[in-house]
Amino acid sequence: MRKIFLILSVVFGLLGIAFTILPLDTLAFLPIGLALVFGLLTLKQSQDSQKKFPKIILTIAALCSAVVLGKTLLVKDEVATDTQFEQQKIETKQEAKKELEEIEGLE
């Protein structure tokens, strides 16, 4: 049973690392939480000589959790208006009006 928990904690730990790197925001907490749970179960079932690797998994999961929380709280998504594009759009409309007026004047 310990090996299953160990494998699951490693898999979810790797997914947690991947989700932390990718811009998935708080969705990364799901594999990180599962890695923490399975890491704790592995640590509980391990003998004293086998507790080093589960501690590493738990440390990595905790660091990933801190990074995701920091990215969520500190990084703000802002939408900036593109004034240059808006100006070009207005100019294009004015040019189109002038062309239509010239075409109407020719007929």
Side-chain angles (χ1 to χ4, degrees), residues 53-64:
F53 192 68
K55 286 181 182 179
I56 292 171
I57 297 290
L58 290 171
T59 304
I60 290 172
L63 288 174
C64 287

Side-chain angles (χ1 to χ4, degrees), residues 8-84:
L8 287 173
S9 67
V10 169
V11 168
F12 285 120
L14 291 174
L15 281 174
I17 292 170
F19 281 23
T20 300
I21 294 169
L22 296 173
L24 295 176
D25 217 20
T26 57
L27 186 62
F29 282 123
L30 181 65
I32 293 171
L34 290 171
L36 284 170
V37 169
F38 288 119
L40 287 172
L41 289 172
T42 305
L43 185 66
K44 187 175 181 177
Q45 292 184 354
S46 297
Q47 298 171 357
D48 289 336
S49 62
Q50 298 174 332
K51 289 192 177 194
K52 186 176 181 179
F53 192 68
K55 286 181 182 179
I56 292 171
I57 297 290
L58 290 171
T59 304
I60 290 172
L63 288 174
C64 287
S65 179
V67 168
V68 170
L69 187 63
K71 281 175 35 177
T72 302
L73 295 177
L74 299 176
V75 176
K76 301 294 179 197
D77 292 331
E78 295 179 10
V79 178
T81 57
D82 190 3
T83 55
Q84 184 179 4

